[in-house]
């Protein structure tokens, strides 16, 4: 069970079947998109807890996702954690979501979202919000 009112803990299957943990709230207002929240490299989905609570309280659908190898998600069996792999995981999540979806990512999560959009994965994101990312990681 999650500590976010209106959310439940769910699991998605990543690109290679890796278990991905998320706190999910169904949209209460069908005019609003579902928002996928993706954390930074040294974080978990709990870093988005306050934002997820606020969005769910306002009727948005929310998927507050732990990336593979982070938080309650599983580890990659082949040790691959690059942005291309994370974008393929995101594609698997996106395929399960009805309606419009906005992607919000911080740092690594922003890179994941940008890679997803840049590679032309389907379904398309309705919006992209990038927080604290740089064009090239050193």
């Amino acid at each position: 069970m999650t500590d976010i009112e209106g959310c439940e803990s769910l699991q998605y299957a990543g690109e290679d079947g890796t278990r991905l943990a998320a706190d999910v709230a169904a949209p209460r207002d069908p005019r609003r998109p579902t928002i996928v929240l993706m954390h930074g490299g040294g974080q978990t989905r709990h870093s988005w807890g306050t934002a997820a609570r606020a969005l769910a309280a306002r009727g948005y659908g929310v998927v507050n996702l732990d990336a593979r190898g982070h938080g309650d998600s599983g580890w990659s069996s082949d040790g691959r954690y690059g942005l291309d792999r994370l974008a393929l995981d995101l594609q698997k999540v996106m395929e399960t979501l009805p309606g419009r979806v906005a992607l919000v990512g911080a740092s690594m999560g922003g890179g994941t979202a940008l890679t997803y959009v840049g590679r032309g994965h389907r379904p398309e994101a309705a919006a992209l919000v990038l927080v604290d990312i740089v064009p090239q990681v050193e």
Side-chain angles (χ1 to χ4, degrees):
M1 188 64 171
T2 176
D3 65 346
I4 301 172
E5 186 174 332
C7 289
E8 63 178 310
S9 294
L10 292 180
Q11 294 182 11
Y12 294 94
E15 180 266 334
D16 59 353
T18 297
R19 180 184 46 78
L20 304 174
D23 297 327
V24 179
R28 292 193 325 263
D29 183 343
R31 296 170 296 173
R32 296 187 175 187
T34 295
I35 299 173
V36 178
L37 300 169
M38 293 166 286
H39 60 79
Q43 300 173 328
T44 69
R45 72 186 189 273
H46 301 294
S47 64
W48 284 111
T50 300
R53 280 188 288 282
L55 291 165
R58 288 170 177 79
Y60 288 92
V62 176
V63 177
N64 191 10
L65 184 65
D66 267 339
R68 64 175 53 224
H70 293 78
D72 296 320
S73 288
W75 291 84
S76 181
S77 61
D78 60 7
R80 292 179 46 219
Y81 295 94
L83 291 178
D84 284 325
R85 172 60 68 87
L86 297 174
L88 290 171
D89 286 344
L90 177 57
Q91 180 179 6
K92 292 296 191 180
V93 173
M94 292 282 287
E95 290 170 353
T96 71
L97 302 175
R100 297 178 312 132
V101 178
L103 302 177
V104 177
S107 190
M108 179 190 76
T112 299
L114 190 58
T115 300
Y116 177 87
V117 170
R119 298 277 192 268
H121 290 293
R122 298 283 186 259
E124 291 182 344
L128 174 63
V129 179
L130 304 175
V131 179
D132 194 27
I133 77 161
V134 295
Q136 184 173 351
V137 177
E138 292 183 18

